[in-house]
Coordinates of all heavy atoms in Angstrom, one line a residue:
Q40 N -21.9 1.5 25.1 CA -21.5 0.1 25.1 C -20.1 -0.1 24.8 O -19.6 0.5 23.8 CB -22.4 -0.7 24.1 CG -22.4 -2.2 24.3 CD -23.4 -2.9 23.3 OE1 -23.6 -2.4 22.3 NE2 -23.9 -4.0 23.8
T41 N -19.4 -1.0 25.5 CA -18.0 -1.2 25.3 C -17.8 -2.5 24.4 O -18.6 -3.3 24.3 CB -17.2 -1.4 26.6 OG1 -17.8 -2.5 27.3 CG2 -17.3 -0.1 27.4
C42 N -16.6 -2.5 23.8 CA -16.2 -3.7 23.0 C -16.0 -4.9 23.9 O -15.4 -4.8 25.0 CB -15.0 -3.3 22.2 SG -14.4 -4.7 21.2
A43 N -16.4 -6.0 23.5 CA -16.3 -7.2 24.3 C -14.8 -7.7 24.3 O -14.4 -8.3 25.3 CB -17.2 -8.3 23.8
L44 N -14.1 -7.5 23.3 CA -12.7 -7.9 23.2 C -11.8 -6.7 23.1 O -11.7 -6.1 22.0 CB -12.5 -8.8 22.0 CG -13.3 -10.1 21.9 CD1 -13.2 -10.8 20.6 CD2 -12.9 -11.0 23.1
P45 N -11.1 -6.4 24.1 CA -10.2 -5.2 24.0 C -9.0 -5.6 23.1 O -8.4 -6.7 23.2 CB -9.7 -5.0 25.5 CG -10.0 -6.3 26.2 CD -11.1 -7.0 25.5
I46 N -8.6 -4.7 22.3 CA -7.5 -4.9 21.3 C -6.5 -3.8 21.6 O -6.8 -2.6 21.7 CB -8.0 -4.8 19.9 CG1 -9.0 -5.9 19.6 CG2 -6.8 -5.0 18.9 CD1 -9.7 -5.8 18.3
S47 N -5.2 -4.3 21.8 CA -4.1 -3.3 22.1 C -3.8 -2.5 20.9 O -4.0 -2.9 19.7 CB -2.9 -4.1 22.5 OG -2.3 -4.8 21.5
K48 N -3.3 -1.3 21.1 CA -2.9 -0.4 20.0 C -1.8 -1.0 19.2 O -1.8 -0.8 18.0 CB -2.4 1.0 20.6 CG -3.5 1.8 21.3 CD -2.9 3.0 21.9 CE -4.0 3.8 22.6 NZ -3.5 5.0 23.2
G49 N -0.9 -1.7 19.8 CA 0.2 -2.3 19.0 C -0.4 -3.4 18.1 O 0.1 -3.5 17.0
R50 N -1.3 -4.1 18.5 CA -1.9 -5.1 17.6 C -2.6 -4.5 16.4 O -2.6 -5.0 15.3 CB -2.9 -6.0 18.4 CG -3.4 -7.2 17.7 CD -4.2 -8.1 18.5 NE -4.6 -9.2 17.7 CZ -4.8 -10.4 18.2 NH1 -4.5 -10.7 19.4 NH2 -5.2 -11.4 17.4
V51 N -3.3 -3.4 16.7 CA -4.0 -2.7 15.6 C -2.9 -2.2 14.6 O -3.1 -2.3 13.4 CB -4.8 -1.6 16.1 CG1 -5.4 -0.7 15.0 CG2 -6.0 -2.1 16.9
A52 N -1.9 -1.6 15.1 CA -0.8 -1.1 14.2 C -0.2 -2.2 13.4 O 0.1 -2.0 12.2 CB 0.3 -0.4 15.1
W53 N 0.1 -3.3 14.0 CA 0.7 -4.5 13.3 C -0.3 -5.0 12.2 O 0.1 -5.4 11.1 CB 1.1 -5.6 14.2 CG 2.5 -5.4 14.7 CD1 2.8 -5.1 16.0 CD2 3.7 -5.6 14.0 NE1 4.2 -5.0 16.0 CE2 4.7 -5.3 14.8 CE3 3.9 -6.0 12.6 CZ2 6.1 -5.4 14.4 CZ3 5.2 -6.0 12.2 CH2 6.3 -5.8 13.1
S54 N -1.6 -5.0 12.5 CA -2.6 -5.4 11.5 C -2.6 -4.5 10.3 O -2.6 -5.0 9.2 CB -4.0 -5.4 12.1 OG -4.1 -6.3 13.2
F55 N -2.4 -3.2 10.5 CA -2.3 -2.3 9.4 C -1.1 -2.5 8.6 O -1.0 -2.5 7.4 CB -2.4 -0.8 9.9 CG -3.8 -0.3 10.1 CD1 -4.4 -0.2 11.3 CD2 -4.6 -0.1 9.0 CE1 -5.7 0.2 11.5 CE2 -5.9 0.4 9.1 CZ -6.4 0.5 10.4
A56 N 0.1 -2.7 9.3 CA 1.3 -2.9 8.7 C 1.3 -4.2 7.8 O 1.8 -4.2 6.7 CB 2.5 -3.0 9.7
I57 N 0.8 -5.2 8.4 CA 0.7 -6.5 7.6 C -0.2 -6.3 6.4 O 0.1 -6.8 5.3 CB 0.2 -7.6 8.5 CG1 1.3 -8.0 9.6 CG2 -0.1 -8.9 7.8 CD1 0.9 -8.9 10.7
G58 N -1.3 -5.6 6.6 CA -2.2 -5.4 5.5 C -1.5 -4.6 4.4 O -1.7 -4.9 3.2
E59 N -0.8 -3.6 4.7 CA -0.1 -2.8 3.8 C 1.0 -3.6 3.0 O 1.1 -3.5 1.8 CB 0.6 -1.6 4.4 CG -0.3 -0.4 4.8 CD -0.9 0.2 3.5 OE1 -0.1 0.5 2.5 OE2 -2.1 0.5 3.5
A60 N 1.7 -4.4 3.7 CA 2.7 -5.3 3.1 C 2.1 -6.2 2.1 O 2.6 -6.4 1.0 CB 3.5 -6.0 4.2
F61 N 0.9 -6.8 2.5 CA 0.2 -7.7 1.7 C -0.3 -7.0 0.4 O -0.2 -7.5 -0.7 CB -1.0 -8.4 2.4 CG -1.8 -9.3 1.6 CD1 -1.3 -10.5 1.2 CD2 -3.0 -8.9 1.2 CE1 -2.0 -11.4 0.5 CE2 -3.8 -9.8 0.4 CZ -3.3 -11.0 0.0
K62 N -0.8 -5.8 0.6 CA -1.2 -5.0 -0.5 C -0.1 -4.7 -1.5 O -0.3 -4.8 -2.7 CB -1.9 -3.7 0.0 CG -2.4 -2.8 -1.2 CD -3.1 -1.6 -0.6 CE -2.1 -0.6 -0.1 NZ -2.7 0.6 0.3
V63 N 1.0 -4.3 -1.0 CA 2.2 -4.0 -1.9 C 2.6 -5.3 -2.6 O 2.9 -5.3 -3.9 CB 3.3 -3.4 -1.1 CG1 4.6 -3.3 -2.0 CG2 2.9 -2.0 -0.6
L64 N 2.7 -6.4 -2.0 CA 3.1 -7.7 -2.6 C 2.1 -8.1 -3.7 O 2.4 -8.6 -4.7 CB 3.3 -8.8 -1.6 CG 4.5 -8.6 -0.6 CD1 4.5 -9.7 0.4 CD2 5.8 -8.7 -1.4
L65 N 0.8 -8.0 -3.4 CA -0.2 -8.3 -4.3 C -0.2 -7.4 -5.5 O -0.3 -7.8 -6.7 CB -1.6 -8.2 -3.7 CG -2.8 -8.8 -4.5 CD1 -2.6 -10.3 -4.8 CD2 -4.1 -8.5 -3.7
T66 N 0.1 -6.1 -5.3 CA 0.2 -5.2 -6.4 C 1.4 -5.5 -7.3 O 1.3 -5.5 -8.5 CB 0.3 -3.7 -5.9 OG1 -0.8 -3.4 -5.1 CG2 0.4 -2.7 -7.0
F67 N 2.5 -5.9 -6.6 CA 3.7 -6.3 -7.3 C 3.4 -7.5 -8.2 O 3.8 -7.6 -9.4 CB 4.8 -6.6 -6.4 CG 6.1 -6.9 -7.1 CD1 6.9 -5.9 -7.7 CD2 6.6 -8.2 -7.1 CE1 8.0 -6.1 -8.3 CE2 7.8 -8.4 -7.8 CZ 8.5 -7.4 -8.4
A68 N 2.6 -8.4 -7.7 CA 2.2 -9.6 -8.5 C 1.4 -9.2 -9.7 O 1.6 -9.8 -10.8 CB 1.5 -10.6 -7.6
F69 N 0.5 -8.3 -9.5 CA -0.4 -7.8 -10.6 C 0.5 -7.1 -11.6 O 0.3 -7.2 -12.8 CB -1.5 -6.9 -10.1 CG -2.6 -7.7 -9.5 CD1 -3.2 -7.2 -8.3 CD2 -3.1 -8.8 -10.0 CE1 -4.3 -7.8 -7.7 CE2 -4.2 -9.5 -9.5 CZ -4.8 -9.0 -8.3
L70 N 1.5 -6.4 -11.2 CA 2.4 -5.7 -12.1 C 3.2 -6.7 -12.9 O 3.4 -6.6 -14.1 CB 3.4 -4.8 -11.4 CG 2.8 -3.5 -10.8 CD1 3.8 -2.8 -9.9 CD2 2.3 -2.6 -11.9
A71 N 3.6 -7.8 -12.3 CA 4.3 -8.8 -13.0 C 3.5 -9.5 -14.0 O 3.9 -9.7 -15.2 CB 4.9 -9.9 -12.0
V72 N 2.2 -9.7 -13.7 CA 1.3 -10.3 -14.7 C 1.0 -9.3 -15.8 O 1.0 -9.8 -17.0 CB -0.1 -10.7 -14.0 CG1 -1.2 -11.0 -15.0 CG2 0.1 -11.8 -13.0
A73 N 0.9 -8.1 -15.5 CA 0.7 -7.1 -16.6 C 1.9 -7.0 -17.5 O 1.7 -6.9 -18.7 CB 0.4 -5.7 -16.0
L74 N 3.1 -7.1 -17.0 CA 4.3 -7.1 -17.8 C 4.4 -8.3 -18.6 O 4.8 -8.3 -19.8 CB 5.5 -6.8 -16.9 CG 5.6 -5.4 -16.3 CD1 6.7 -5.4 -15.3 CD2 5.9 -4.4 -17.4
A75 N 4.1 -9.5 -18.0 CA 4.4 -10.8 -18.7 C 3.3 -11.1 -19.6 O 3.5 -11.6 -20.8 CB 4.6 -11.9 -17.6
V76 N 2.0 -11.0 -19.2 CA 0.9 -11.5 -20.0 C 0.3 -10.4 -20.9 O 0.1 -10.7 -22.1 CB -0.2 -12.0 -19.1 CG1 -1.4 -12.5 -19.8 CG2 0.3 -13.2 -18.2
L77 N 0.1 -9.2 -20.4 CA -0.5 -8.2 -21.2 C 0.5 -7.4 -22.1 O 0.1 -6.6 -22.9 CB -1.3 -7.2 -20.3 CG -2.3 -7.9 -19.4 CD1 -2.9 -6.9 -18.5 CD2 -3.4 -8.5 -20.3
K78 N 1.8 -7.6 -21.8 CA 2.8 -6.9 -22.6 C 2.7 -5.4 -22.6 O 2.8 -4.7 -23.6 CB 2.8 -7.4 -24.1 CG 2.8 -8.9 -24.2 CD 4.2 -9.5 -23.9 CE 4.2 -10.9 -24.3 NZ 4.8 -11.8 -23.4
V79 N 2.5 -4.9 -21.4 CA 2.4 -3.4 -21.3 C 3.8 -2.8 -21.3 O 4.8 -3.5 -21.1 CB 1.7 -3.0 -20.0 CG1 0.3 -3.5 -20.0 CG2 2.4 -3.5 -18.8
V80 N 3.9 -1.5 -21.5 CA 5.2 -0.8 -21.5 C 5.7 -0.7 -20.1 O 5.0 -0.2 -19.2 CB 5.1 0.5 -22.2 CG1 6.4 1.2 -22.3 CG2 4.5 0.4 -23.6
F81 N 7.0 -1.1 -19.9 CA 7.5 -1.2 -18.5 C 7.6 0.2 -17.8 O 7.1 0.4 -16.7 CB 8.9 -1.8 -18.6 CG 9.6 -1.9 -17.3 CD1 9.3 -2.8 -16.4 CD2 10.6 -1.0 -17.0 CE1 9.9 -2.9 -15.1 CE2 11.2 -1.0 -15.8 CZ 10.9 -2.0 -14.8
L82 N 8.3 1.2 -18.4 CA 8.6 2.4 -17.7 C 7.4 3.2 -17.3 O 7.4 3.6 -16.1 CB 9.5 3.3 -18.6 CG 10.2 4.5 -17.9 CD1 11.0 4.0 -16.7 CD2 11.0 5.3 -18.9
P83 N 6.4 3.5 -18.1 CA 5.3 4.2 -17.6 C 4.5 3.5 -16.5 O 4.1 4.1 -15.5 CB 4.4 4.4 -18.8 CG 5.2 4.2 -20.0 CD 6.3 3.2 -19.5
L84 N 4.4 2.2 -16.6 CA 3.7 1.4 -15.5 C 4.5 1.5 -14.2 O 3.9 1.8 -13.2 CB 3.6 -0.1 -16.0 CG 2.9 -1.0 -15.0 CD1 1.4 -0.6 -14.9 CD2 3.1 -2.4 -15.4
I85 N 5.8 1.3 -14.2 CA 6.5 1.3 -13.0 C 6.6 2.7 -12.4 O 6.5 2.9 -11.2 CB 8.0 0.7 -13.2 CG1 7.8 -0.8 -13.6 CG2 8.8 0.8 -12.0 CD1 7.1 -1.7 -12.7
V86 N 6.8 3.7 -13.2 CA 6.9 5.1 -12.7 C 5.6 5.5 -12.1 O 5.5 6.1 -11.0 CB 7.2 6.1 -13.9 CG1 7.0 7.5 -13.5 CG2 8.7 5.9 -14.3
T87 N 4.5 5.1 -12.7 CA 3.1 5.4 -12.1 C 2.9 4.7 -10.8 O 2.5 5.3 -9.8 CB 2.0 5.0 -13.1 OG1 2.2 5.7 -14.3 CG2 0.7 5.4 -12.5
W88 N 3.3 3.4 -10.7 CA 3.2 2.7 -9.5 C 4.0 3.3 -8.3 O 3.5 3.5 -7.2 CB 3.6 1.2 -9.7 CG 3.5 0.4 -8.5 CD1 2.4 0.1 -7.7 CD2 4.6 -0.4 -7.9 NE1 2.7 -0.7 -6.7 CE2 4.0 -1.1 -6.8 CE3 5.9 -0.6 -8.2 CZ2 4.7 -1.9 -6.0 CZ3 6.6 -1.4 -7.4 CH2 6.1 -2.1 -6.3
V89 N 5.3 3.7 -8.6 CA 6.1 4.3 -7.6 C 5.6 5.6 -7.2 O 5.5 5.9 -6.0 CB 7.6 4.4 -8.1 CG1 8.4 5.3 -7.2 CG2 8.2 3.1 -8.3
L90 N 5.1 6.4 -8.1 CA 4.5 7.7 -7.7 C 3.2 7.5 -6.8 O 3.1 8.3 -5.9 CB 4.1 8.5 -9.0 CG 5.3 9.1 -9.8 CD1 4.8 9.7 -11.0 CD2 6.1 10.1 -8.9
V91 N 2.4 6.5 -7.1 CA 1.3 6.3 -6.3 C 1.7 5.9 -4.9 O 1.1 6.4 -3.9 CB 0.4 5.2 -6.9 CG1 -0.7 4.7 -5.9 CG2 -0.3 5.7 -8.2
L92 N 2.7 5.1 -4.8 CA 3.3 4.7 -3.4 C 3.8 5.9 -2.7 O 3.5 6.1 -1.5 CB 4.4 3.6 -3.6 CG 3.9 2.2 -4.0 CD1 5.1 1.3 -4.1 CD2 2.9 1.7 -2.9
V93 N 4.5 6.8 -3.4 CA 5.1 8.0 -2.7 C 3.9 8.9 -2.2 O 4.0 9.4 -1.1 CB 6.0 8.7 -3.7 CG1 6.4 10.1 -3.1 CG2 7.3 7.9 -3.9
V94 N 3.0 9.1 -3.1 CA 1.8 10.0 -2.7 C 1.1 9.4 -1.5 O 0.7 10.1 -0.6 CB 0.9 10.2 -3.9 CG1 -0.4 10.9 -3.4 CG2 1.6 11.1 -4.9
Q95 N 0.9 8.1 -1.5 CA 0.2 7.4 -0.4 C 0.9 7.6 0.9 O 0.3 7.7 1.9 CB 0.1 5.9 -0.8 CG -0.6 5.1 0.3 CD -0.7 3.6 -0.1 OE1 -0.7 3.3 -1.2 NE2 -0.8 2.8 0.9
V96 N 2.2 7.6 0.9 CA 3.0 7.7 2.1 C 3.1 9.2 2.5 O 3.0 9.5 3.7 CB 4.4 7.2 1.9 CG1 5.3 7.5 3.1 CG2 4.4 5.7 1.7
L97 N 3.2 10.1 1.6 CA 3.4 11.5 1.9 C 2.1 12.3 2.2 O 2.1 13.2 2.9 CB 4.1 12.2 0.8 CG 5.6 11.8 0.6 CD1 6.2 12.6 -0.5 CD2 6.4 12.0 1.9
A98 N 1.0 11.8 1.6 CA -0.3 12.5 1.8 C -0.7 12.7 3.2 O -1.1 13.8 3.6 CB -1.4 11.8 1.0
P99 N -0.6 11.7 4.1 CA -1.0 12.0 5.5 C -0.2 13.1 6.2 O -0.7 13.9 7.0 CB -0.9 10.6 6.2 CG -1.0 9.6 5.1 CD -0.4 10.3 3.9
A100 N 1.1 13.1 5.9 CA 2.0 14.1 6.5 C 1.6 15.5 6.0 O 1.6 16.4 6.8 CB 3.5 13.8 6.1
V101 N 1.3 15.6 4.7 CA 0.9 16.9 4.2 C -0.4 17.3 4.7 O -0.6 18.5 5.1 CB 0.9 16.9 2.6 CG1 0.4 18.1 2.0 CG2 2.3 16.6 2.1
I102 N -1.4 16.4 4.8 CA -2.7 16.8 5.2 C -2.7 17.1 6.7 O -3.4 18.1 7.1 CB -3.7 15.6 5.0 CG1 -3.9 15.4 3.5 CG2 -5.0 15.8 5.8 CD1 -4.6 14.1 3.2
N103 N -1.8 16.5 7.5 CA -1.8 16.7 9.0 C -0.9 17.9 9.3 O -0.8 18.2 10.5 CB -1.4 15.5 9.7 CG -2.4 14.4 9.6 OD1 -3.6 14.7 9.6 ND2 -2.0 13.1 9.6
N104 N -0.2 18.5 8.4 CA 0.7 19.6 8.7 C -0.1 20.8 9.0 O -0.7 21.4 8.1 CB 1.7 19.8 7.5 CG 2.7 20.8 7.8 OD1 2.8 21.3 8.9 ND2 3.5 21.1 6.8
K105 N -0.1 21.2 10.2 CA -0.8 22.4 10.6 C -0.1 23.7 10.4 O -0.6 24.8 10.5 CB -1.3 22.3 12.1 CG -2.0 21.0 12.4 CD -3.3 21.0 11.7 CE -4.0 19.7 12.2 NZ -5.0 19.2 11.3
G106 N 1.3 23.6 10.2 CA 2.1 24.8 10.1 C 2.1 25.3 8.7 O 2.3 26.3 8.2

């Protein structure tokens, strides 16, 4: 059975990109709340957040590396 509404590859890619951007902005907002309201320590929180972003970007490249 085929899909009733064909969706272009470009539209799917843009949907993922917009979702990722929204996720990063929402995470940034949560970080701001954690820093302002919960009074967490700045450096460990930001370093951990940046490392998670880096791993999220690099993991697919490492996993898909066949060489």
Side-chain angles (χ1 to χ4, degrees):
Q40 190 175 32
T41 60
C42 180
L44 298 172
I46 300 174
S47 70
K48 293 178 184 177
R50 186 173 181 145
V51 171
W53 271 109
S54 296
F55 277 105
I57 290 169
E59 282 295 315
F61 179 72
K62 181 176 72 173
V63 170
L64 290 174
L65 188 62
T66 304
F67 186 74
F69 284 138
L70 288 172
V72 168
L74 289 169
V76 176
L77 302 176
K78 307 288 189 223
V79 297
V80 181
F81 177 78
L82 190 60
L84 180 67
I85 298 303
V86 167
T87 303
W88 181 57
V89 169
L90 288 174
V91 167
L92 287 178
V93 169
V94 168
Q95 178 181 336
V96 170
L97 292 180
V101 173
I102 291 170
N103 291 329
N104 187 4
K105 306 293 184 204

